[in-house]
Amino acid sequence: MKTTMTIPSPGRKALAFPYILWMIGFTIIPLALIFVFGLTDRNGAFTLANVAAIARPDHAKALSRALLLSLVSTVICLLLAFPLCMILRGRRLGTGSFVVFIFILPMWMNFLLRTFAWQTLLEKKGVINGILGAMHLGSIRIINTPEAMIFGMVYNFLPFMVLPIYNTLCKIDDSLIDAAHDLGADFFQTLLRVFVPLCVPGIVSGITMVFVPALTTFVISDILGGGKILLIGNVIEGEFTRSSNWNLGAGLSLVLMVFILISMAALSFFDKNGEGTAF
Amino acid sequence: MKKNFRTRILVLLLAAASAFPTAACGSGTPQNGAASASDDGAAADGDNVLYVYNWGEYIGDGVVEQFEKETGIRVVYDTFQTNEEMYPIIEAGAIRYDVVCPSDYIIQKMIRNDMLYPIDWDKVPNISNIDEKYMKKSEAFDPGNRYSVPYCWGTIGILYNTSLVSPQDTPDSWNALWDEKYSDNILMLDSVRDTFMVAEKLLGYDVNTTDEKQLEACRDLLIRQKPLVQAYVVDQVRDKMIGGEAAMAMIYSGELLYVQECLEEAGSPYVLKYVIPKEGSNVWIDSWVIPKNARHKENAEKWLNFLCRAEIAKENFEYITYPTPNRAAFELLDPDIRNNREVFPDDADLEKCSVFEYLGTAGDELYDTMWNEVKAY
């Protein structure tokens, strides 16, 4: 006799209660508030001005800069993560291995602290320049540039690209690879026609998990960009904290949400089974 | 069909349940006492409580305890980081603080919005310890000195590193921050009003101007400076200057003693000096006020009187290191510090320093837009 754990129907529904409560309290109500604030002015009257404000030159520039930087860092993350995952897979280490653990380890420490650490490392009189100077190797000038921000994004978000890709790669059956080789495919053919197509869900999930936080970040640009290079995230954060113009901040958030939805729609086109989408 | 109906009922119930605590919060009786002032202790303690809302690290060690011991009043003490964070909390009145310490222009906004009690000066005799000068400066935001007790004040100026700035370039004007020789060696404050103040002083405008043409000129001046600026920062100015990252920086005068102490302890080879540029600067005052929704006004006045006492003000100064407006406390200080013109500039230095005023919502928005244009450039 087979026994499975079945909970009687009414009890099962009761178990969903906390999750529904959670969703209403922390997703639906806040989202509704963003819509309410974004589509009204300070007096509560309906307006589209907050959303249209994205066309202002300073906002448009911040948005396009954020799109560019997050795109570049997503591509870099992908180019770094995929070969790495191939190597890890080739070593047959398994998900619980020490090497994978090492990649995840930095995520245990606070993200802000790690970014501040990079500031100290990259500064003019920072640790790296100190070492270079001691060896008479000149110095690097990277802090407070867009390059430093891309560096910070890649550093912080790389694990989010590595993990999903590695998981899908590990799930690929060895017999498929053997079959490809038997049929005369060389390494690159196997890579492009077996590994990559099978890995699409992982890649899609990785891209979303890197692109979205990179697009919306304001901390990395503040710490590594010296407050000189404004991203759309900084503009929104400023409206909420310094200018206390919540309506404008919410309106711009709505625009940003549209861009995120567009990117996710584009990605789901490649991942038709929806296996990899993070949401 | 039936199932659907039941789900809908459940959702409705949930919505009602989740709306309930929100509504309760709004009416001023928070449910959980995470923040110390959230528990409604007034009923239990009768009138012997005082809810204090102050900046972080803005009071001497043991001052609160001494007040409690002397008066038998239990103090509930909370802190905030920025004026902008504090204001909506007082406005909403969910936690009814009895005494708060905002800055000048916010006090003006609170007065304009009828949020403050006039202070009964008979209950605060120690107010006579506060230098007349600062009472007069306070009139810029509190006409007639009805609502506020000055607590700390300071200026904004240029902090420079004597080993990185050659002697003939020793700054005495805000123009020093536009000197191309120091490209990538200049730090500016990431703070709208403060940074625009520099451009306004250079162009000879009023620091409280809301004239669009003038602000555009300021914006263009700041955009011209941007390639020379290493970073726009606030709290990091101290550490970056101590570390020798930059030659010159805009800084609040109150940070000076701390910075110099750090350098001394580290045995640093260079010295950091502070100057108020000749074009003038901003002088700011943080003062204590009593919000209209306070429930312990008499205790609040006892608190104000206590803080104005010379020894207490001295203790506070030694901890905070921001200049004290308390004349009696000033006279108790070491002559070394008293004669430190960087910390306590004399009247001539202050002559051209102006106080910020509240600009209204439209004015604030204009500044923010211009500042975003500088930063996005």
Side-chain angles (χ1 to χ4, degrees):
Chain A
M1 220 173 87
K2 199 176 151 197
T3 50
T4 45
M5 234 188 62
T6 44
I7 300 164
S9 171
R12 204 188 261 170
K13 271 186 197 136
L15 282 179
F17 185 83
Y19 302 106
I20 295 173
L21 198 66
W22 180 273
M23 268 169 55
I24 290 174
F26 298 106
T27 309
I28 296 174
I29 292 177
L31 215 57
L33 281 177
I34 290 184
F35 271 94
V36 170
F37 273 107
L39 298 174
T40 53
D41 62 16
R42 278 186 203 271
N43 303 320
F46 176 81
T47 174
L48 285 174
N50 298 319
V51 180
I54 193 68
R56 250 168 54 187
D58 51 331
H59 293 161
K61 198 165 177 182
L63 177 64
S64 53
R65 195 184 271 142
L67 282 169
L68 179 72
L69 292 188
S70 50
L71 205 66
V72 171
S73 34
T74 310
V75 170
I76 295 177
C77 277
L78 185 61
L79 292 179
L80 286 174
F82 198 82
L84 171 77
C85 295
M86 287 294 286
I87 295 168
L88 287 179
R89 182 186 187 278
R91 302 244 143 208
R92 319 228 154 261
L93 293 163
T95 357
S97 84
F98 184 68
V99 180
V100 180
F101 174 71
I102 289 288
F103 270 92
I104 310 305
L105 194 63
M107 288 169 69
W108 290 10
M109 214 215 286
N110 185 285
F111 153 80
L112 269 178
L113 282 181
R114 282 182 286 136
T115 312
F116 268 115
W118 274 112
Q119 188 186 41
T120 342
L121 287 172
L122 295 175
E123 266 176 346
K124 276 209 292 194
K125 297 261 166 94
V127 177
I128 292 178
N129 276 339
I131 295 170
L132 288 177
M135 297 193 295
H136 301 285
L137 289 173
S139 63
I140 50 160
R141 298 299 327 281
I142 181 172
I143 191 75
N144 304 333
T145 62
E147 290 78 14
M149 280 154 63
I150 291 178
F151 184 87
M153 289 177 184
V154 171
Y155 168 78
N156 277 309
F157 302 134
L158 188 61
F160 296 107
M161 186 67 96
V162 171
L163 275 186
I165 294 183
Y166 183 65
N167 275 333
T168 45
L169 273 180
C170 277
K171 275 190 241 152
I172 295 174
D173 197 332
D174 284 339
S175 53
L176 287 174
I177 318 300
D178 293 339
H181 288 311
D182 281 351
L183 293 169
D186 62 18
F187 173 75
F188 283 104
Q189 282 170 317
T190 324
L191 182 70
L192 290 176
R193 304 183 70 165
V194 179
F195 277 114
V196 172
L198 285 174
C199 199
V200 163
I203 294 175
V204 164
S205 161
I207 289 178
T208 335
M209 289 177 55
V210 173
F211 182 73
V212 174
L215 180 63
T216 52
T217 187
F218 56 87
V219 176
I220 294 176
S221 42
D222 248 6
I223 298 176
L224 297 177
K228 282 200 296 185
I229 305 152
L230 217 59
L231 301 184
I232 190 70
N234 298 88
V235 175
I236 294 173
E237 183 241 7
E239 292 304 334
F240 277 98
T241 54
R242 287 184 293 276
S243 326
S244 59
N245 188 349
W246 288 22
N247 303 90
L248 181 55
L252 294 175
S253 305
L254 287 177
V255 177
L256 196 54
M257 244 186 267
V258 169
F259 276 88
I260 291 168
L261 287 176
I262 291 175
S263 72
M264 294 204 327
L267 285 170
S268 69
F269 175 78
F270 292 104
D271 179 28
K272 295 211 174 61
N273 299 329
E275 286 169 42
T277 41
F279 305 100
Chain B
M1 200 54 207
K2 198 181 164 197
K3 192 181 159 195
N4 250 338
F5 179 67
R6 236 197 282 166
T7 323
R8 223 175 285 161
I9 295 275
L10 184 68
V11 169
L12 274 176
L13 280 175
L14 278 175
S18 60
F20 175 70
T22 330
C25 273
S27 67
T29 46
Q31 298 285 297
N32 49 31
S36 44
S38 303
D39 54 341
D40 208 330
D45 295 270
D47 266 347
N48 246 356
V49 210
L50 180 70
Y51 291 86
V52 179
Y53 203 28
N54 193 8
W55 297 85
E57 300 202 22
Y58 220 45
I59 194 156
D61 267 340
V63 169
V64 173
E65 288 76 9
Q66 194 182 336
F67 176 76
E68 285 183 320
K69 217 153 105 200
E70 281 183 21
T71 59
I73 296 168
R74 187 171 70 92
V75 174
V76 181
Y77 188 88
D78 283 336
T79 61
F80 57 88
Q81 299 287 328
T82 64
N83 282 310
E84 284 69 23
E85 166 196 336
M86 172 278 305
Y87 183 84
I89 291 175
I90 300 298
E91 192 181 32
I95 302 167
R96 293 159 75 177
Y97 288 104
D98 299 311
V99 66
V100 192
C101 184
S103 307
D104 34 40
Y105 66 102
I106 291 285
I107 295 177
Q108 191 177 17
K109 185 175 176 182
M110 292 170 121
I111 293 172
R112 199 174 295 179
N113 293 339
D114 193 26
M115 284 164 65
L116 300 180
Y117 263 130
I119 294 167
D120 181 355
W121 294 116
D122 293 339
K123 302 255 179 65
V124 191
N126 286 343
I127 191 71
S128 58
N129 285 340
I130 305 288
D131 199 321
E132 265 307 305
K133 220 166 39 186
Y134 304 107
M135 296 308 278
K136 213 163 258 156
K137 287 252 181 222
S138 293
E139 298 224 23
F141 56 89
D142 176 12
N145 293 120
R146 299 182 58 214
Y147 299 97
S148 63
V149 175
Y151 185 54
C152 287
W153 66 279
T155 55
I156 296 174
I158 300 174
L159 186 71
Y160 60 98
N161 185 321
T162 50
S163 73
L164 295 175
V165 176
S166 47
Q168 75 267 21
D169 291 336
T170 301
D172 66 337
S173 153
W174 289 116
N175 270 321
L177 299 175
W178 270 256
D179 189 340
E180 281 174 21
K181 255 187 281 176
Y182 296 97
S183 170
D184 203 32
N185 248 329
I186 294 165
L187 295 173
M188 292 293 284
L189 284 174
D190 187 359
S191 171
V192 199
R193 291 294 298 273
D194 297 334
T195 308
F196 265 83
M197 176 275 295
V198 174
E200 282 157 352
K201 284 288 179 191
L202 268 177
L203 295 172
Y205 301 148
D206 187 284
V207 297
N208 296 307
T209 181
T210 49
D211 181 283
E212 208 166 333
K213 282 264 154 17
Q214 293 188 345
L215 286 176
E216 275 169 10
C218 293
R219 174 197 66 193
D220 295 343
L221 191 63
L222 290 171
I223 286 178
R224 224 181 67 216
Q225 182 205 25
K226 198 177 171 187
L228 309 178
V229 176
Q230 186 188 96
Y232 295 99
V233 282
V234 185
D235 298 331
Q236 296 166 47
V237 175
R238 294 199 309 206
D239 293 340
K240 282 186 190 277
M241 289 306 286
I242 291 169
E245 272 293 305
M248 285 184 254
M250 257 181 96
I251 200 167
Y252 302 111
S253 62
E255 305 288 0
L256 183 73
L257 285 179
Y258 172 85
V259 164
Q260 288 177 338
E261 227 166 76
C262 281
L263 284 179
E264 232 166 77
E265 270 171 32
S268 158
Y270 47 81
V271 181
L272 295 177
K273 285 193 171 166
Y274 177 83
V275 63
I276 299 174
K278 62 182 179 206
E279 293 89 359
S281 177
N282 162 243
V283 54
W284 50 263
I285 302 177
D286 288 343
S287 303
W288 289 99
V289 295
I290 305 177
K292 263 251 158 87
N293 50 19
R295 280 174 299 184
H296 311 96
K297 187 172 183 262
E298 284 187 9
N299 286 354
E301 279 159 352
K302 279 184 197 159
W303 170 260
L304 297 180
N305 199 38
F306 176 79
L307 288 182
C308 287
R309 203 191 291 166
E311 309 83 62
I312 302 297
K314 175 174 175 265
E315 242 172 84
N316 282 334
F317 167 74
E318 279 163 358
Y319 182 83
I320 312 168
T321 72
Y322 275 71
T324 173
N326 194 307
R327 184 85 218 163
F330 178 76
E331 275 155 12
L332 294 176
L333 295 177
D334 264 8
D336 272 2
I337 292 183
R338 257 190 312 190
N339 297 329
N340 186 335
R341 265 187 57 189
E342 295 175 314
V343 184
F344 289 104
D346 59 24
D347 297 350
D349 297 327
L350 287 179
E351 201 181 322
K352 285 189 172 168
C353 292
S354 347
V355 180
F356 283 147
E357 287 168 25
Y358 172 55
L359 304 171
T361 313
D364 279 347
E365 261 171 32
L366 192 60
Y367 270 78
D368 285 331
T369 310
M370 298 282 178
W371 180 227
N372 272 344
E373 280 168 14
V374 173
K375 295 239 295 177
Y377 181 73

